[in-house]
Amino acid sequence: MTSSTALGAQYDDIHRALSVKIDENRLIRDPLRTLAYGTDASFYRLIPQLVVRVDNEEEVRLVLHEARQHGVPVTFRAAGTSLSGQAVTDSILIQLSDNWKAHRIKQQGRIISLQPGIIGARANQLLAGYQRKIGPDPASINACMIGGIAANNASGMCCGTAQNSYNTVQSARIIMVDGTVLDTADEASRAAFAKSHKGLLEILKVLAEKTQDNPELSQKIRHKYRLKNTTGYSLNSLVDYKDPFDVLLHLMIGSEGTLGFLSEVTYQTVIDHPIKAAAMIFFEDMEATCRAVTALKSAPVSAVELIDRAGLRAVESKPGMPDVLSSLGAQAAGLLVDVRASDSAELEENLQQVSKALDGLATLTEIEFTQDKAVYDSYWKIRKGLFPAVGAVRPVGTTVIIEDVAFPVEQLAEGVLELQGVFQKHGYDEAILFGHALEGNLHFVFTQGFDDPAEVSRYEKLMDEVAQLVAVKYQGSLKAEHGTGRNMAPYVALEWGQEAYELMWEIKRAFDPEGLLNPDVILTHNANLHVENLKPLPKANDKVDTCIECGFCESSCPSKSLTLTPRQRIVLWREIQRLQASGEQPERLAKLKADYDHQGIDTCAGCGLCSMQCPVGINTGDLTRELRHDRHPDSRVGHWLGDHFDSVTSGARIGLATGQGVKGVIGNSGMQLITKVAHKTSGGAVPVWHPEMPSSSPSMKAIHSKVSKLKDLGVHQPTVVYLPSCATRVMGSSPDATDKRSVMEVMLSLLEKSGYKVVMPSDVEGSCCGLAFQSKGQFSVAGQKANELNARLLEASENGRYPIVCDTSPCLLRMKETLDPCLELYEQVSFVSEFLMPKLKVSQKRSKIAVHVTCSTTRMGLADDFVSLAEQLADEVVLPADITCCGFAGDKGFSTPELNASALKSLAKAVDGCEAGYSNSRTCEIGLSQHSGIEYQSIVYLVDQLTH
C-alpha cells in the first residue's frame, strides 16, 4: 500500500466514524466542494481532504477526537476572509455551519456574548440600540465573523490597540485539542479544568513568572505591543496577567486556531459615538504628513488614515472623488482625519483641539471638517477604495497582495520613505501605501505573479528586505493586524529573537503537544513556507477576472448555505478553465464540470447583491447568465415566446385558474406530485406547483376598463404611465389572502385616490422588460423585448414628459439598465413615497409588520426609502437581519425550490409576532409567504388599506 493510499484510507476511516453522528451532507469530500470551501482570501492554495460543517460543540469535539486518533491535522474556518493563509489546509477543515449565531446582551449593551459564526457588522447591529459596538472594526467587518476576528486579533481603522479583541475580551468558551470545554466565566468549569489540565495551567503560570522576572524580555514585549502587533502569539498575556486562566484566555486571542477552538467570545463593548465629522488634509510630502500624525497622537481623534500619492492617484478618477486629488504634486500625501462625539457640543470641542494640534503645519488646502453625510462618506470611499483600485487593474493571472506592518509612530516618516525605496528597488512601481497612521500601521498593496519562478524569487527578496527593515532596523511589527498565518511564519523568529521565539514554541507544545491544530501557521520550521502552495489565478472570464477572492460577497448570497457562493463559483470556474487549458487531470475536470452545472449555474439566483459587497464590483450573476446562454443559446422557442408574449401571459392566467380549480379537488400535495412529473418530462417547461401558488389576475381587458373609468379631474390632473409587469398581469392574490384584489387593481385604486390620470402603454399585454429571458441566457430575445418596451414607453410618456411607474422592483431595475435615459422610471416604493404619500393621510397603523427589501430594491439604493415608507404605516417594522435575497429569483422558486427554502430558512423565527409581511415583487412574495408563516403582499396593499 502506497503512502497516499494509506493516507486516503485514514480519511475514509474518519469519514465513517463521523458519519455515525454527523449528516453525510455536512461531510464533504468531492473535488468541487473541497476546492470551493477550502479557498480563503489569501494567495495560498491547499485543498482539504475532508471538510466538516459542524453544528455545535459536540461535533467539534468529535472531529478533534477522530483527528487525534488518526494523527491527522485540523484547521478551523469561519468566513475565510483571512489574508495570510491561516484558514487553508490539505487535511481536515472544520467549517462553521449556520448554527453558530447565538448571542446574549447584558448590562444594557456593555457586555455581549457571541458565537463565532456571527458576522462582525451583525454584532454591531445588535448593539446599535444601546449606542454601543464591539471594539474591533476591521475593513472586512461586513463579511468576517467573530471567530476570525478574535482568532486573528483583528483591529481596524478606529479600534487602535486599546479596543482590539485582546483588550476587550472578557471571557470565552474554548474547546481544547483533547475535546475539553473550558468556560472561563464559569467557576465550575474553571475548577474542573484546574483538575483535568493542571499541567497546562502550571506551565502558563511558570512562563508568566519567568517572563515577568526577565526585565529585558518584558520590556521587549511591552514595546512590541505598544504598536499594533499580531506577529506570533500574544506574549503580552505573559506580562499583563498572573492568573493562568487570564493568560490562557488572552493567548487564545490572535492564536489563529493553533491552540484551540473559540466556541463563544464575550466582549466588553465600547461607545458608538453618533456624531461624526471628517476632513481630508493634504501635505506637500510624506515627511510633513507624518509630522502631522505625531501632532495628532494626543488629540481627540477617532481615526487618522494616511494615504500616499500613489494611493490618491489610484482613486482620483473614480466617481465622486474631490477634484483636488488630480492637482496634487508628485510627492504629496494625505490624511483622512475622523472625529467623533456623543453630542454636538463635544464634537465642537474635539474639533477645536484637533485644529490646535495642527496649528503651524503647512497644508496644501484649507482644513475643513464636514458632517455632511455625502461628503463624509466620499472621504471614507477614498480610503476604502484603495485596495480594490489596485486589484481591479492588475494584469490577469496576477494576485493582489496586501501586507500590513507597523513602525514606531515617532519613526513613521523615515520608515515610510525607506519602505517606498524598497518597493522601487525591486520593481514594484505600482505599490501604494496607506494605513492607520496613529498606530504607525501601514498597509502596502501591490500586484504579484506567481506563475514564473523569477517572479516568486523577486517576491521572496522583497519580503526578506521588508522584514529586515521593519522588524530589525525599526523594531516594528511585520504583521500589525492581519495575523501571522503562513505568510509571515518564517519571519517570526527574526522579528522576536530566539528567546521569545522559543517561548512561543513552549506555548504551542503546552496547548497542542501533537501539533495537530493548524500546523505551520504562526510557527513553522519551513523557511520557504511563504512561497509554497501559491494559488493560481488563471484567466477565466472577463466578467470575473478582477476577482481577488476576498469573500466579501459571501454573506449576501442566497445560495451560500445550499451550494456555492459567488467567490466559490469564480474559484471553480477558474479551475475548470485552468484544467481545460492545460489538459491536466481529465477525470477531475469532467467531474468538476458535471457538478458545476447544478452547484454553480442552476442554483445561482443571479440577484447581483454580490456586486454591492464586492470591492471591484463583480456581479457573478453575469457570469452565470453567460454560462446559461452557452448551455442553451438563443433558441427558436425563446423567440417564439417573445413574439407571442401576449398569448403566453394569457395562457399562464388560464393555467393558474385551471390549477386552482384542480387543486380544489386533489389538494396541494396532489398538484405537487403531478406537476413534478410534468416538470421533469417537459424539461422544466411546466413549473412545479407551489403551496402559495396565486390565483390568476384579472384580464387586461378588465384592467383597461377600470382605467377608462378613473375620474377625470381636468387639465391640471397629474398624469402617470403605469406599466404592470408580466408577473402582476398573470398572478393575482394568494389563495388565502384577505384582500383578494390583484396588485394592478390596488395600484389603480391608489393612483385614483391620489388624483392621478393613468396612461397604459400600447400592447401592454405583449410587453416585457426582457428580464425573464435574460435570466435564462436568452440575450437576443431579452434585447428585443427591451427595445419593444422602450418604444411603447416613449410613446406613452410622450418622450419622458410623464413619469412611469412599474409595480415590480426587479423589472424596474432591468428597465433602468436598458431603456432610454430620458424615461423617468419609478418602482412602486419610490413612486408611492415621493408622489402619493404627500397627497394621502394615514388613518390608522398596523402594530408590527415585516418588510422584505428585494435585491433589486437594494441595488437601486431604495432600501431606506422602503423601510421609511413602512414606518409611516406601522408602529414596529421588522427587517430580518439574516435575509438578503429571498432566492425565488423569478421562477426558480418553482423550478429550484430548495434555493428559496435555504435562503429563507431563518425567516419564520425572525418575523414571529408580525401581523403580515410586505415586499415589492410578486414572485418573491410567494416564497416569503410559504417560509414565514405569514402572508406577504405588495406594500401598496398596506398603503391603500391605511390611507384616505
Side-chain angles (χ1 to χ4, degrees):
M1 180 181 285
T2 64
S3 59
S4 61
T5 304
L7 188 62
Q10 276 188 310
Y11 290 106
D12 289 341
D13 292 343
I14 294 170
H15 189 155
R16 275 192 295 271
L18 295 178
S19 66
V20 175
K21 294 187 177 180
I22 298 177
D23 297 338
E24 277 287 349
N25 63 352
R26 292 190 287 114
L27 299 173
I28 296 151
R29 295 189 72 186
D30 61 272
L32 182 139
R33 290 183 297 165
T34 51
L35 172 59
Y37 299 163
T39 298
D40 73 355
S42 73
F43 50 93
Y44 297 100
R45 165 64 48 77
L46 290 170
I47 301 176
Q49 295 288 326
L50 172 64
V51 178
V52 186
R53 281 187 156 175
V54 291
D55 272 351
N56 50 52
E57 288 182 347
E58 282 306 307
E59 291 184 354
V60 175
R61 296 177 67 204
L62 177 62
V63 180
L64 288 174
H65 171 76
E66 291 301 323
R68 291 184 73 215
Q69 287 287 101
H70 292 84
V72 170
V74 298
T75 294
F76 305 115
R77 168 81 172 271
T81 57
S82 303
L83 292 163
S84 302
Q86 53 266 68
V88 295
T89 181
D90 56 3
S91 184
I92 297 178
L93 184 70
I94 299 179
Q95 187 181 47
L96 299 180
S97 73
D98 288 337
N99 283 16
W100 296 86
K101 295 182 178 179
H103 71 276
R104 300 189 311 279
I105 297 175
K106 294 172 278 189
Q107 297 181 26
Q108 293 298 301
R110 287 179 174 80
I111 303 294
I112 188 168
S113 298
L114 300 158
Q115 284 194 319
I118 292 180
I119 290 172
R122 173 60 179 150
N124 287 339
Q125 281 183 340
L126 295 168
L127 292 164
Y130 304 97
Q131 288 198 355
R132 311 284 297 185
K133 63 179 182 177
I134 60 171
D137 62 338
S140 58
I141 197 165
N142 290 323
C144 64
M145 295 176 179
I146 293 299
I149 289 174
N152 290 292
N153 196 21
S155 47
M157 290 174 245
C158 300
C159 157
T161 54
Q163 296 180 352
N164 62 15
S165 289
Y166 180 91
N167 284 308
T168 58
V169 68
Q170 184 179 77
S171 64
R173 283 181 67 85
I174 303 163
I175 303 180
M176 311 301 290
V177 68
D178 63 1
T180 300
V181 179
L182 167 64
D183 185 343
T184 65
D186 182 83
E187 287 301 325
S189 179
R190 287 164 66 108
F193 193 84
K195 291 180 180 179
S196 63
H197 289 69
K198 181 179 180 181
L200 171 60
L201 294 174
E202 184 60 31
I203 290 172
L204 297 180
K205 182 181 179 184
V206 169
L207 291 179
E209 289 173 349
K210 284 173 59 178
T211 304
Q212 291 171 28
D213 289 342
N214 184 334
E216 185 177 347
L217 180 57
S218 294
Q219 179 56 35
K220 181 169 190 171
I221 292 171
R222 289 192 177 94
H223 164 75
K224 298 291 288 183
Y225 289 101
R226 179 171 66 91
L227 313 174
K228 275 189 178 181
N229 187 2
T230 60
T231 309
Y233 288 120
S234 300
L235 292 186
N236 44 342
S237 61
L238 299 178
V239 296
D240 291 342
Y241 300 99
K242 295 183 182 296
D243 185 325
F245 281 104
D246 290 332
V247 174
L248 186 154
L249 171 64
H250 288 85
L251 278 171
M252 287 298 301
I253 302 299
S255 63
E256 302 177 27
T258 65
L259 302 182
F261 176 82
L262 290 162
S263 63
E264 183 184 78
V265 179
T266 298
Y267 282 117
Q268 300 169 8
T269 64
V270 301
I271 296 172
D272 185 13
H273 292 110
I275 311 295
K276 303 173 184 178
M280 280 296 304
I281 308 173
F282 302 104
F283 300 87
E284 184 178 16
D285 54 30
M286 185 60 71
E287 187 175 351
T289 308
C290 292
R291 282 201 303 270
V293 173
T294 304
L296 289 168
K297 185 67 177 172
S298 58
V301 290
S302 294
V304 176
E305 293 292 303
L306 182 149
I307 309 172
D308 75 349
R309 185 64 185 98
L312 294 171
R313 192 176 295 112
V315 296
E316 65 185 24
S317 61
K318 302 293 183 184
M321 296 297 101
D323 293 338
V324 69
L325 292 185
S326 59
S327 63
L328 297 174
Q331 303 304 315
L335 294 178
L336 169 55
V337 181
D338 193 297
V339 180
R340 302 180 181 183
S342 299
D343 54 46
S344 298
E346 183 185 2
L347 179 68
E348 185 58 36
E349 182 181 340
N350 289 347
L351 290 175
Q352 289 179 9
Q353 291 185 52
V354 171
S355 297
K356 186 177 180 180
L358 294 172
D359 275 351
L361 295 177
T363 61
L364 297 179
T365 56
E366 187 177 346
I367 300 174
E368 293 183 359
F369 280 89
T370 182
Q371 289 180 257
D372 181 275
K373 187 176 187 305
V375 180
Y376 178 94
D377 289 345
S378 75
Y379 290 163
W380 277 107
K381 189 176 180 181
I382 294 173
R383 165 61 180 84
K384 293 178 180 179
L386 294 172
F387 180 32
V390 175
V393 298
R394 75 187 192 280
V396 173
T398 65
T399 189
V400 58
I401 293 179
I402 179 169
E403 284 297 351
D404 69 311
V405 300
F407 292 103
V409 71
E410 59 273 13
Q411 296 174 292
L412 182 60
E414 300 97 310
V416 169
L417 293 172
E418 286 199 57
L419 192 57
Q420 288 176 323
V422 170
F423 279 111
Q424 291 165 7
K425 173 183 175 181
H426 292 281
Y428 290 92
D429 299 326
E430 82 288 0
I432 64 174
L433 288 173
F434 59 92
H436 318 313
L438 287 181
E439 312 300 327
N441 177 196
L442 289 177
H443 300 306
F444 49 93
V445 179
F446 57 96
T447 59
Q448 176 67 54
F450 287 125
D451 55 352
D452 181 348
E455 278 294 288
V456 176
S457 176
R458 181 170 75 116
Y459 170 73
E460 190 171 10
K461 290 174 182 176
L462 170 76
M463 295 312 297
D464 285 348
E465 195 160 342
V466 167
Q468 285 290 336
L469 173 70
V470 175
V472 179
K473 181 173 182 178
Y474 285 99
Q475 292 294 296
S477 306
L478 286 171
K479 277 295 187 181
E481 58 181 1
H482 293 169
T484 310
R486 297 170 175 276
N487 195 25
M488 284 299 170
Y491 297 103
V492 174
L494 176 72
E495 174 170 332
W496 277 98
Q498 202 59 36
E499 185 177 20
Y501 187 59
E502 287 301 327
L503 189 56
M504 291 182 191
W505 273 113
E506 287 188 67
I507 290 167
K508 172 66 172 173
R509 288 189 290 267
F511 278 83
D512 180 24
E514 297 159 290
L516 299 180
L517 298 180
N518 219 0
D520 276 335
V521 167
I522 295 184
L523 301 180
T524 185
H525 295 297
N526 182 355
N528 296 314
L529 184 75
H530 59 309
V531 289
E532 295 178 351
N533 300 302
L534 301 169
K535 180 193 292 182
L537 287 174
K539 180 175 177 57
N541 185 286
D542 291 344
K543 292 177 172 58
V544 298
D545 282 336
T546 55
C547 175
I548 53 181
E549 298 186 9
C550 63
F552 285 13
C553 56
E554 295 193 328
S555 62
S556 65
C557 181
S559 62
K560 61 181 179 292
S561 300
L562 178 67
T563 51
L564 301 174
T565 65
R567 166 169 65 177
Q568 293 162 356
R569 287 184 169 91
I570 294 170
V571 166
L572 288 161
W573 193 245
R574 280 175 166 163
E575 181 67 357
I576 288 170
Q577 298 309 298
R578 186 186 72 82
L579 292 175
Q580 285 187 163
S582 68
E584 298 174 25
Q585 301 174 287
E587 291 183 7
R588 180 167 178 261
L589 172 61
K591 176 66 173 167
L592 288 176
K593 290 176 71 174
D595 289 350
Y596 192 84
D597 275 355
H598 175 72
Q599 301 262 353
I601 300 175
D602 294 341
T603 55
C604 175
C607 63
L609 285 183
C610 49
S611 66
M612 300 200 62
Q613 303 298 327
C614 176
V616 293
I618 294 170
N619 182 344
T620 312
D622 291 339
L623 170 64
T624 298
R625 283 181 283 272
E626 183 174 308
L627 298 181
R628 287 172 182 164
H629 175 269
D630 293 345
R631 194 166 61 176
H632 300 294
D634 289 293
S635 63
R636 291 182 181 177
V637 173
H639 279 284
W640 186 92
L641 291 172
D643 292 340
H644 299 84
F645 204 70
D646 52 349
S647 300
V648 172
T649 54
S650 177
R653 280 198 301 271
I654 294 170
L656 280 176
T658 303
Q660 290 292 348
V662 176
K663 186 201 79 171
V665 178
I666 66 174
N668 274 318
S669 58
M671 286 296 292
Q672 284 182 306
L673 182 63
I674 292 171
T675 55
K676 279 180 181 177
V677 174
H679 180 76
K680 186 173 182 180
T681 56
S682 68
V686 176
V688 177
W689 184 263
H690 198 286
E692 292 292 330
M693 193 72 82
S695 60
S696 61
S697 267
S699 69
M700 288 310 300
K701 182 178 180 180
I703 295 299
H704 282 300
S705 176
K706 287 181 180 292
V707 171
S708 67
K709 294 175 182 177
L710 294 180
K711 296 174 184 176
D712 185 349
L713 301 179
V715 293
H716 298 297
Q717 184 178 18
T719 300
V720 64
V721 177
Y722 171 39
L723 175 68
S725 73
C726 52
T728 54
R729 298 199 303 268
V730 171
M731 300 179 184
S733 62
S734 296
D736 300 322
T738 53
D739 189 335
K740 297 293 186 182
R741 295 177 297 168
S742 70
V743 172
M744 294 185 293
E745 292 170 298
V746 178
M747 280 294 296
L748 292 177
S749 172
L750 261 180
L751 292 170
E752 181 179 28
K753 189 188 299 185
S754 304
Y756 271 86
K757 177 182 177 181
V758 176
V759 175
M760 297 191 85
S762 61
D763 191 23
V764 69
E765 296 93 334
S767 296
C768 172
C769 67
L771 179 62
F773 297 96
Q774 181 206 31
S775 65
K776 291 179 170 54
Q778 300 288 298
F779 298 146
S780 176
V781 68
Q784 171 193 323
K785 297 307 292 182
N787 289 336
E788 292 172 358
L789 179 61
N790 191 64
R792 291 166 188 162
L793 290 179
L794 284 169
E795 178 188 40
S797 68
E798 297 184 9
N799 292 317
R801 178 182 176 189
Y802 304 126
I804 300 163
V805 61
C806 178
D807 53 25
T808 300
S809 173
C811 298
L812 198 282
L813 175 60
R814 161 79 178 170
M815 291 159 63
K816 279 181 172 287
E817 293 172 340
T818 57
L819 303 191
D820 196 306
C822 81
L823 296 174
E824 197 175 343
L825 300 167
Y826 294 87
E827 63 91 62
Q828 53 184 303
V829 167
S830 58
F831 190 82
V832 169
S833 298
E834 185 172 344
F835 296 106
L836 304 193
M837 289 304 288
K839 300 174 181 288
L840 301 171
K841 291 186 178 180
V842 178
S843 54
Q844 56 180 311
K845 281 190 171 186
R846 296 282 186 260
S847 60
K848 184 179 181 180
I849 65 170
V851 163
H852 175 73
V853 179
T854 60
C855 42
S856 47
T857 303
T858 300
R859 289 176 62 193
M860 287 187 286
L862 297 173
D864 290 343
D865 291 347
F866 197 163
V867 174
S868 177
L869 175 60
E871 287 174 342
Q872 296 177 61
L873 304 166
D875 295 324
E876 183 179 354
V877 176
V878 175
L879 190 66
D882 293 330
I883 306 296
T884 54
C885 170
C886 70
F888 208 92
D891 65 353
K892 280 207 169 293
F894 302 127
S895 64
T896 316
E898 63 271 25
L899 175 60
N900 183 226
S902 179
L904 298 181
K905 63 185 176 182
S906 64
L907 179 62
K909 183 177 180 181
V911 302
D912 185 38
C914 293
E915 297 175 50
Y918 297 93
S919 191
N920 54 349
S921 170
R922 187 67 195 91
T923 51
C924 295
E925 291 150 17
I926 294 171
L928 291 161
S929 296
Q930 180 187 7
H931 296 291
S932 65
I934 59 175
E935 179 188 355
Y936 271 81
Q937 288 183 306
S938 167
I939 188 70
V940 297
Y941 283 85
L942 190 62
V943 178
D944 193 46
Q945 291 161 3
L946 301 184
T947 62
H948 64 271

